[in-house]
Amino acid sequence: MYFRKKPLQYRVEFARSEGVMQTLEGPVHYVAGDALMTGIAGERWPIPRDRFVATYVPVPPVRMGEDGKYEKHSITVSARQVQTQERIRLDGGKNELLARPGDWVITDEHGNRWVVANGIFNETYECLES
């Protein structure tokens, strides 16, 4: 099924050094310059800098690369709801997320994947199919 990300604003900080962030779905590595996101339910996750710059815009008066509020471009993704627990490999196997029953596995047009908890998915995505 296809969905569109709703136009929501997120708080973003840029990593000053390398580290690991504990997300709802498991630990994810990041490097200096990557975007460290905070979502609508206080959940946190990192996004590689190049992917972030390609998919988010700063909310004025913030400029790209500054900490502050950002909004994701309206993108269409495919998504499937997980029925049984499964592990989702990211970034060429560098990271792995745990998708639990009810979670959604999202795939963008470039093949990037991520996992979103059902409640957060329902708040942040809209279905494009009837």
Side-chain angles (χ1 to χ4, degrees), residues 28-46:
V28 178
H29 293 85
Y30 61 85
V31 298
D34 285 354
L36 307 178
M37 311 289 293
T38 301
I40 63 165
E43 74 280 13
R44 298 205 31 146
W45 71 97

Side-chain angles (χ1 to χ4, degrees), residues 26-71:
V28 178
H29 293 85
Y30 61 85
V31 298
D34 285 354
L36 307 178
M37 311 289 293
T38 301
I40 63 165
E43 74 280 13
R44 298 205 31 146
W45 71 97
I47 298 179
R49 177 75 175 219
D50 59 342
R51 192 176 319 151
F52 177 82
V53 169
T55 57
Y56 284 83
V57 294
V59 176
V62 174
R63 293 182 303 216
M64 182 55 77
E66 295 178 340
D67 292 354
K69 296 270 186 174
Y70 286 77
E71 188 173 295

Side-chain angles (χ1 to χ4, degrees), residues 32-108:
D34 285 354
L36 307 178
M37 311 289 293
T38 301
I40 63 165
E43 74 280 13
R44 298 205 31 146
W45 71 97
I47 298 179
R49 177 75 175 219
D50 59 342
R51 192 176 319 151
F52 177 82
V53 169
T55 57
Y56 284 83
V57 294
V59 176
V62 174
R63 293 182 303 216
M64 182 55 77
E66 295 178 340
D67 292 354
K69 296 270 186 174
Y70 286 77
E71 188 173 295
K72 189 163 189 164
H73 294 285
S74 179
I75 63 168
T76 299
V77 298
S78 64
R80 66 178 174 82
Q81 195 166 29
V82 174
Q83 301 304 310
T84 60
Q85 182 172 297
E86 59 184 271
R87 297 200 174 275
I88 306 298
R89 288 199 160 298
L90 308 176
D91 308 320
K94 181 178 177 184
N95 292 297
E96 184 177 270
L97 298 179
L98 178 63
R100 295 173 184 87
D103 288 350
W104 290 81
V105 175
I106 313 296
T107 305
D108 71 12

